[in-house]
Amino acid sequence: MVEVTLWGALGQLAGGQSKVEVEAKDIRELFRKLAEQYPGIEPWIEKGIAVAIDGTIYRDTWSKELPKGAEIFLLPRLAGG
């Protein structure tokens, strides 16, 4: 089980929760379980969500393992140019 901080609009999509606990071994499983529990998050996952694990940001590295006790943040990708 890992504790995940949902940043910005992601928390609103999880019923207003800024932190959730999820049983997941890697980023792929984390995204799958979040989409099952909070269907409103799935479009954001498809657009791209950055995952910060202990201060390192991972984008498109879905096989990255989630260490127990790690600080995990999910951040919506920012559009810009």
Side-chain angles (χ1 to χ4, degrees), residues 1-75:
M1 185 90 54
V2 293
E3 184 179 80
V4 180
T5 300
L6 303 173
W7 194 261
L10 297 176
Q12 295 169 357
L13 297 169
Q17 300 178 80
S18 62
K19 292 185 186 244
V20 295
E21 288 193 348
V22 180
E23 187 68 45
K25 67 179 187 301
D26 58 28
I27 293 173
R28 177 177 285 109
E29 186 176 16
L30 173 66
F31 283 168
R32 183 177 55 80
K33 290 194 173 179
L34 282 172
E36 287 172 3
Q37 291 179 349
Y38 310 105
I41 288 178
E42 190 167 13
W44 289 81
I45 292 170
E46 291 171 4
K47 286 185 207 174
I49 292 178
V51 180
I53 302 172
D54 290 332
T56 301
I57 296 177
Y58 296 89
R59 297 176 186 94
D60 307 320
T61 312
W62 290 31
S63 61
K64 174 67 181 163
E65 289 189 23
L66 303 174
K68 291 190 180 194
E71 183 177 66
I72 302 171
F73 284 79
L74 297 187
L75 306 106

